[in-house]
Amino acid sequence: MTTNTADTADIEAAVLALKEPSSLEIRPRYEGSNICTWIGFKHVNYLVEEAVLHHLRQAGIAPGTVYETYGLCTDIVDIDTRILHAFHIDDTAIAEVKPHRKAKDGELVLAVTLHVRRETLLKAVTSTVRVQLRLDPRGGGEQPVPAALAPFAVDRLGAVPGWTPEPVEVDLAADDLVKELTAGRNAYAWKFRIPYWYCHFTERQQMSGYLRLMEEAKDRLVADRGVSIKTLLDEQNWIPVVPHSRITVLDEARMEEDLYVVLTVESVFKGFTYDSRMDTYVVRDGQLVQTATGRITHGYAVIENRRDWSLVSFDDRMNAALEGRSA
């Protein structure tokens, strides 16, 4: 089957339309309102993702259409998000999406800005998102990939991270690979079987799955060190806050593979925030393959009332937990 002239012209026009800004008004999902009415970082990133998908649809490159027609899977492979103001559950996000100023020819890199209405319209979130169109060998009968989309098409997902992933040497024959991955590190790790609901396009883990794991990694680490989310809520009225997160897909992780998730505390900044790095691995064909790397910045805030909070400095117990020692 060949692509007709009208279809080719439509796709060429759609790729040109990607260069035009798009806008969208959207509310956070209710699921993301976990403590009081504030929206967590994962669901802020979901707003960014929805804005990107809307941008593609507005241009005429809807994810469902390009998959069913050309066998191209729309994947976010890098998302770098800074949160400047918190969203509440009843807020409306005003999203603006445009090509990133540093995007090169043949790259689908988008700049996303979310505003929120307060007394004035505030810039609440800025994000840089990289999208790839992954060729799917499943199915059949699709039309060939149009020349206009070919620069964005890849045979395998993978992006260049903002830092050099730290090489890991482990004994794959060891009884406990989790211990191997954390030996000598200020880190927490666990093994996770990738379920189908973390995946899309039939097989591969999608970006939202990594966002879920990044949130879970924080929860597991602080619980393991005696300062769980519930403990600090009950005893000090503290909650974690996230001003910055980034995740980059380095290789593909597949449904029902065992994914090893490692969260390493890297640094503490002036007793107010700390940076952690998340790395994920699978064992495939006798090799340890890194599938993603990410970084997240956490602080803590004290709940002042049902709407307001303010940042606090870490106490001795929190500093000890972050350093991996007893208070």
Side-chain angles (χ1 to χ4, degrees):
M1 184 182 293
T2 58
T3 306
N4 61 45
T5 304
D7 290 338
T8 300
D10 289 344
I11 291 296
E12 290 175 349
V15 171
L16 288 174
L18 286 173
K19 298 179 181 180
E20 299 299 321
S22 69
S23 62
L24 171 70
E25 291 196 8
I26 186 173
R27 290 187 187 274
R29 294 295 301 272
Y30 198 49
E31 178 192 302
S33 181
N34 304 126
I35 298 175
C36 295
T37 62
W38 301 301
I39 300 300
F41 89 98
K42 172 167 56 66
H43 277 262
V44 171
N45 277 292
Y46 287 177
L47 291 175
V48 171
E49 181 182 66
E50 286 301 317
V52 167
L53 295 176
H54 175 77
H55 183 75
L56 297 175
R57 291 175 181 130
Q58 284 289 100
I61 306 177
T65 300
V66 296
Y67 176 72
E68 293 168 359
T69 307
Y70 307 115
L72 293 172
C73 310
T74 302
D75 272 278
I76 291 176
V77 292
D78 190 45
I79 185 166
D80 185 355
T81 300
R82 296 187 181 275
I83 302 174
L84 310 175
H85 293 279
F87 276 97
H88 294 252
I89 187 56
D90 295 325
D91 283 336
T92 298
I94 299 94
E96 298 176 354
V97 183
K98 60 184 179 181
H100 196 277
R101 59 186 176 81
K102 293 185 178 180
K104 301 175 183 177
D105 290 342
E107 292 183 329
L108 192 47
V109 185
L110 301 169
V112 181
T113 305
L114 305 182
H115 289 83
V116 64
R117 290 190 179 92
R118 296 285 184 258
E119 290 80 6
T120 59
L121 194 63
L122 297 177
K123 181 187 290 187
V125 174
T126 61
S127 187
T128 301
V129 180
R130 181 179 293 272
V131 178
Q132 290 178 343
L133 303 180
R134 205 275 199 189
L135 290 159
D136 188 359
R138 292 177 181 269
E142 301 93 351
Q143 296 181 16
V145 175
L149 290 180
F152 312 126
V154 297
D155 292 318
R156 193 177 187 89
L157 298 177
V160 177
W163 53 89
T164 301
E166 185 177 331
V168 178
E169 293 185 7
V170 297
D171 179 6
L172 295 180
D175 292 335
D176 193 337
L177 189 53
V178 167
K179 286 186 178 180
E180 287 278 307
L181 288 167
T182 56
R185 298 168 179 239
N186 184 6
Y188 179 90
W190 79 102
K191 184 172 73 171
F192 172 80
R193 178 180 178 273
I194 300 172
Y196 77 88
W197 57 89
Y198 274 49
C199 301
H200 65 179
F201 295 111
T202 313
E203 185 175 12
R204 292 172 300 280
Q205 177 159 300
Q206 59 180 298
M207 179 59 76
S208 66
Y210 284 112
L211 287 165
R212 289 184 181 192
L213 289 171
M214 180 173 270
E215 185 170 52
E216 183 176 353
K218 151 75 175 189
D219 181 74
R220 283 174 171 263
L221 180 136
V222 294
D224 181 67
R225 299 185 177 187
V227 286
S228 74
I229 307 297
K230 184 70 160 59
T231 297
L232 293 190
L233 272 170
D234 288 347
E235 297 180 4
Q236 297 172 234
N237 220 24
W238 283 14
I239 58 170
V241 293
V242 175
H244 180 224
S245 66
R246 181 176 183 179
I247 298 175
T248 307
V249 173
L250 304 176
D251 203 338
E252 298 177 353
R254 303 165 186 161
M255 186 187 300
E256 298 187 2
E257 281 190 307
D258 286 330
L259 191 72
Y260 292 86
V261 185
V262 185
L263 187 71
T264 304
V265 178
E266 292 195 309
S267 62
V268 179
F269 181 72
K270 295 184 177 180
F272 274 96
T273 61
Y274 72 97
D275 290 328
S276 300
R277 189 185 74 249
M278 183 183 78
D279 298 296
T280 65
Y281 307 89
V282 297
V283 177
R284 186 183 296 148
D285 299 325
Q287 300 290 324
L288 186 70
V289 178
Q290 186 167 4
T291 67
T293 187
R295 277 202 171 105
I296 186 166
T297 300
H298 278 97
Y300 275 86
V302 62
I303 299 174
E304 296 178 347
N305 54 55
R306 290 173 183 161
R307 181 170 181 85
D308 300 312
W309 52 260
S310 58
L311 287 174
V312 295
S313 58
F314 301 152
D315 58 14
D316 289 343
R317 178 169 68 163
M318 178 56 64
N319 281 317
L322 294 176
E323 293 170 9
R325 58 179 174 83
S326 299

